[in-house]
Amino acid sequence: MIQVFHNTNFQMMGRTKYFFMAFSMLALTVAFGSMAIRGFNFGIDFAGGTAVQIRFRETPRVEDLRARLEAANLGDINIQQIGSAEDNEVLVRVEQQRVKGAEEGSEGGEISQEILLTLRSSAVGTESEGRLDLNLVSETRLREWLEESPGTEDGPGIGPEIAAAAAASVIQARIESGGLFRHESEIDAIAGLDPASVARLREATYLGPFVLRGIDFVGPTAGKELIWNTVLAISASVVLILAWIWFRFHRAVWGVAAILALIHDVAISAGAMSLTGKEFSLPVVAALLTILGYSINDTIVIFDRIRENLRLFRDHDFEKVVNASINQTLSRSVLTSFTAFIAVTALFLYGGDKLNPLSFCLMVGVVFGTYSSIFVAGGALVLAHRYLGARHVRA
């Protein structure tokens, strides 16, 4: 077995435990303070509203986009650039505003259409009237449009088979171009287009300023239910873990010590999300539950070694037994944490914007999960033994 440390004897449960407990209290103070003052940047899953992801042909100016949308009186607008600068992608979020008499869910489609219409009308001129936008048209609509093309003196209109092949070629070329055409010269380079289709596309189409990448809508009731379900899921997990540790080690104090470490990890991870302003969404909830599982796994390994050593060295000082047990499992804890941290760091660096909040939360959770298993859970056992006595602590 690979060992990072051999025969270590770090004094983790001596006076230094007070330093680490002070550090934990400081971290928790910052975390709870940020959550109380700054709150969370709730994603569309929790806040309710409409989110529209758009990719532009040219570099968008966020302030101009915000001015256009605010002029349309759609509600509270939040616009952020996502991806790299070359992607020219923005995420437009409009906070849910209930309209009296409107059914829940009906506003999402209306608002998303208003966003698209507002941005399109202010970006294209009258030359687009009556013409087809090749960056937004679907394959079915393009095929039907080509079939409806009138004939000319030089020949008949475009037949169904030719129209279907031409529409498929255009859409495939658009996909290969990153989801939208940036220059009209790209249309001339599309393979598989017959001359009649090329002429029709040149005559009666234009390249719109953007392409729609996705639309999300969550009503206010659903958002509140998700927040409540998140609280229930985390609370239920904590209670069940407490019951299991109590049953496993036959002492309630061991369960309480483990739960203190879990609350410590989840609170600091959530506080990091609040402090950095990263989007709090359903994947982040999954990350917090994963942190619970990861942290308790490391804590149980350490607790098992403490229990084994307490049975072997009944007459030894409790603090020294805990300290020795932590040193014996230190190599395992470091190796496990390091490999997990490498995986989530790779996800953070290369997973894209959608996975960035999740991977960031996991990175914080892995670091503090390992830290708390040693200093918070172990330190809590030592303090409980000192103030409650051996009868309540020794397993």
Side-chain angles (χ1 to χ4, degrees):
M1 179 179 176
I2 299 176
Q3 292 286 330
V4 178
F5 304 106
H6 299 273
N7 302 319
T8 58
N9 189 29
F10 298 122
Q11 298 302 312
M12 299 178 183
M13 291 295 109
R15 293 182 178 179
T16 54
K17 68 175 176 291
Y18 295 108
F19 167 78
F20 289 110
M21 288 187 175
F23 172 75
S24 292
M25 292 303 298
L26 176 62
L28 287 172
T29 300
V30 173
F32 283 116
S34 178
M35 286 187 280
I37 297 172
R38 293 171 57 91
F40 292 103
N41 177 25
F42 284 118
I44 204 71
D45 299 325
F46 295 101
T50 304
V52 180
Q53 186 174 339
I54 303 171
R55 184 174 189 180
F56 287 83
R57 289 171 56 195
E58 301 176 353
T59 304
R61 297 184 60 181
V62 174
E63 293 305 319
D64 289 345
L65 298 179
R66 182 177 290 109
R68 297 173 194 169
L69 293 173
E70 288 179 350
N73 296 319
L74 298 178
D76 187 12
I77 302 290
N78 179 275
I79 304 177
Q80 64 182 99
Q81 287 188 282
I82 58 177
S84 60
E86 310 84 65
D87 291 338
N88 296 340
E89 287 196 34
V90 298
L91 182 66
V92 180
R93 292 190 297 181
V94 181
E95 184 179 338
Q96 176 67 37
Q97 294 192 355
R98 295 297 296 157
V99 177
K100 187 175 181 180
E103 296 182 3
E104 182 171 327
S106 64
E107 292 179 74
E110 295 176 3
I111 293 178
S112 62
Q113 289 302 314
E114 288 185 38
I115 291 173
L116 297 178
L117 288 173
T118 299
L119 295 180
R120 185 188 296 118
S121 62
S122 58
V124 299
T126 56
E127 70 275 6
S128 66
E129 294 180 2
R131 306 174 74 191
L132 201 65
D133 184 352
L134 282 186
N135 278 334
L136 286 179
V137 69
S138 65
E139 182 175 344
T140 301
R141 176 68 186 110
L142 181 58
R143 185 188 69 245
E144 294 174 349
W145 179 80
L146 288 171
E147 289 179 10
E148 295 169 358
S149 302
T152 64
E153 296 179 358
D154 298 330
I158 301 172
E161 293 183 2
I162 296 177
S169 298
V170 170
I171 299 303
Q172 182 60 36
R174 190 174 70 185
I175 294 173
E176 294 173 356
S177 298
L180 80 166
F181 295 117
R182 297 180 183 274
H183 306 287
E184 293 182 357
S185 58
E186 295 178 55
I187 301 175
D188 298 333
I190 299 175
L193 286 183
D194 66 293
S197 298
V198 173
R200 178 62 174 156
L201 291 173
R202 280 176 170 275
E203 175 189 357
T205 65
Y206 74 102
L207 300 185
F210 57 79
V211 62
L212 179 64
R213 302 282 281 176
I215 297 177
D216 289 321
F217 171 73
V218 176
T221 303
K224 291 177 182 177
E225 288 179 357
L226 285 173
I227 294 175
W228 177 242
N229 289 339
T230 297
V231 174
L232 286 180
I234 294 177
S235 301
S237 299
V238 169
V239 170
L240 291 175
I241 289 172
L242 172 62
W244 168 247
I245 299 296
W246 190 343
F247 170 77
R248 176 80 179 269
F249 295 94
H250 309 292
R251 292 291 185 274
V253 170
W254 292 61
V256 173
I259 293 306
L260 286 175
L262 294 184
I263 294 174
H264 171 276
D265 301 338
V266 171
I268 291 178
S269 299
M273 296 297 296
S274 171
L275 195 63
T276 57
K278 291 186 177 295
E279 184 178 86
F280 195 97
S281 57
L282 285 179
V284 173
V285 175
L288 292 176
L289 293 174
T290 302
I291 290 168
L292 286 176
Y294 176 86
S295 181
I296 195 61
N297 179 63
D298 199 28
T299 301
I300 287 179
V301 170
I302 295 174
F303 277 10
D304 269 333
R305 183 58 59 89
I306 293 173
R307 181 173 60 176
E308 291 172 4
N309 287 335
L310 284 173
R311 291 171 178 173
L312 293 174
F313 307 102
R314 293 182 179 275
D315 297 329
H316 284 60
D317 180 71
F318 183 82
E319 183 175 307
K320 292 182 178 179
V321 172
V322 172
N323 194 79
S325 302
I326 291 174
N327 276 278
Q328 291 167 12
T329 57
L330 187 60
S331 184
R332 181 263 181 201
S333 296
V334 170
L335 282 173
T336 303
S337 301
F338 181 67
T339 52
F341 188 78
I342 289 176
V344 295
T345 300
L347 194 63
F348 176 77
L349 294 175
Y350 306 109
D353 296 285
K354 290 292 185 182
L355 296 179
N356 182 272
L358 174 144
S359 53
F360 173 78
C361 186
L362 286 175
M363 287 173 63
V364 176
V366 166
V367 172
F368 279 93
T370 305
Y371 163 86
S372 69
S373 296
I374 297 172
F375 297 106
V376 178
L381 280 183
V382 170
L383 292 177
H385 184 272
R386 178 175 300 175
Y387 294 107
L388 298 179
R391 184 171 61 89
H392 297 282
V393 180
R394 283 185 176 268

